[in-house]
Amino acid sequence: MKNVLYIVWTDNNKLGIPIIDEQHRGIVSTINSLHYFMQTGHGGKIIKPTLITLQQYTDIHFRTEEALMAEAGYPAFDEHVKLHKELMDKTRRLSVDANKYEDPIEVLKFLKGWWLAHISKEDRKYAPFITKLAGT
Ligand SMILES: [Fe+2]
């Protein structure tokens, strides 16, 4: 069980935009690391720094996506940014409250569900607009 990844990243998760795919992978990797530490009994010490890392990296990632969407003139930009803001607020709250969780597995479930749904549904909508841009 300790060596089983919580989220298995496959080519099906890719959008074909190298920097975005790389960042998504980084986010999944951070969530997997949190899961790993929980499985090995070290979740208590690691949850706060990991959630802070996730919050900071999520911010970097959303800035990247939003800059590319703006550059591509993505028509549903505002709706997409609204989803990002909601998740940023939630991620910030998760990191502030990190030491209070009785059941951190619920945090993992939420993060896994949000990210996989967002990448496969919402991000997939903007992908064709951005792949048309040169140099991505
Ligand atoms: Fe997004």
Side-chain angles (χ1 to χ4, degrees):
M1 190 63 193
K2 283 178 187 172
N3 291 321
V4 176
L5 289 175
Y6 186 54
I7 304 172
V8 178
W9 185 254
T10 70
D11 281 353
N12 291 336
N13 298 115
K14 288 187 179 173
L15 300 179
I17 306 161
I19 186 62
I20 297 298
D21 289 333
E22 187 73 1
Q23 291 180 348
H24 282 158
R25 205 180 165 126
I27 286 163
V28 165
S29 168
T30 308
I31 297 168
N32 279 338
S33 297
L34 183 56
H35 178 259
Y36 171 78
F37 280 111
M38 284 180 189
Q39 292 296 307
T40 53
H42 297 94
K45 281 183 207 153
I46 221 73
I47 189 165
K48 182 130 188 149
T50 310
L51 287 175
I52 290 170
T53 300
L54 188 66
Q55 178 211 323
Q56 291 171 338
Y57 196 64
T58 299
D59 185 39
I60 290 167
H61 169 61
F62 285 168
R63 283 169 195 259
T64 309
E65 268 192 1
E66 289 167 17
L68 286 170
M69 284 191 289
E71 194 183 343
Y74 179 52
F77 178 86
D78 290 344
E79 292 104 281
H80 201 112
V81 169
K82 192 166 174 266
L83 297 173
H84 285 177
K85 282 209 168 74
E86 287 167 8
L87 197 265
M88 269 319 296
D89 288 347
K90 173 91 180 177
T91 305
R92 218 172 277 123
R93 280 200 303 277
L94 287 176
S95 68
V96 169
D97 293 339
N99 293 328
K100 298 181 195 160
Y101 301 124
E102 283 176 27
D103 188 7
I105 226 61
E106 290 302 316
V107 175
L108 281 170
K109 274 190 205 161
F110 166 77
L111 290 170
K112 180 180 183 176
W114 194 95
W115 279 104
L116 290 182
H118 186 77
I119 292 168
S120 67
K121 291 185 195 139
E122 302 303 328
D123 290 348
R124 213 161 272 289
K125 293 180 196 167
Y126 72 58
F129 292 84
I130 292 179
T131 46
K132 282 188 203 148
L133 291 174
T136 55

